[in-house]
Amino acid sequence: RLEARNHGVQVSVLCPAAIETPLLDSEGPEDLEKPWRPDLRRFLTAIAGAPYPVDDFADYALRGIEAGRAKIIAPAMARAGARLGRWFPGLVEARIRSALAKELADRP
């Protein structure tokens, strides 16, 4: 980011949690062997809240870019999780482990 600024380039990183797109419910290409994975929608919702509407994320991201923010994290619950993760990484890891344990318990 600092190096790019010297060349007139602004860099922002977009960090969305779950975004409401068909990818959340996709199982991937038909011809690809699929190892077990958690139900993405349920897993990400447990960690960072309900999926964020894609148009809302695009608007939020553009406003963040215009404001020159380095990190653009959405939705609000994901921003809170990022802050907590810096101060109390064990809490965030415990939340993720708990959500994963629930997914594993429901594993077919």
Side-chain angles (χ1 to χ4, degrees), residues 11-83:
V11 176
S12 298
V13 61
L14 303 179
C15 304
I19 301 297
E20 188 60 63
T21 67
L23 185 61
L24 279 179
D25 301 312
S26 169
E27 294 192 18
E30 292 290 323
D31 61 342
L32 186 65
E33 185 178 332
K34 297 168 189 78
W36 176 85
R37 68 175 191 169
D39 177 299
L40 289 180
R41 177 177 297 277
R42 187 174 54 199
F43 180 66
L44 293 173
T45 297
I47 295 170
Y52 204 48
V54 69
D55 290 339
D56 292 351
F57 179 70
D59 291 341
Y60 183 77
L62 290 172
R63 287 193 310 271
I65 291 166
E66 288 172 359
R69 281 192 245 137
K71 291 181 185 175
I72 299 167
I73 304 171
M77 193 166 168
R79 284 191 298 279
R83 285 187 198 105

Side-chain angles (χ1 to χ4, degrees), residues 79-92:
R79 284 191 298 279
R83 285 187 198 105
L84 276 175
R86 278 195 319 251
W87 298 321
F88 309 103
L91 288 177
V92 174

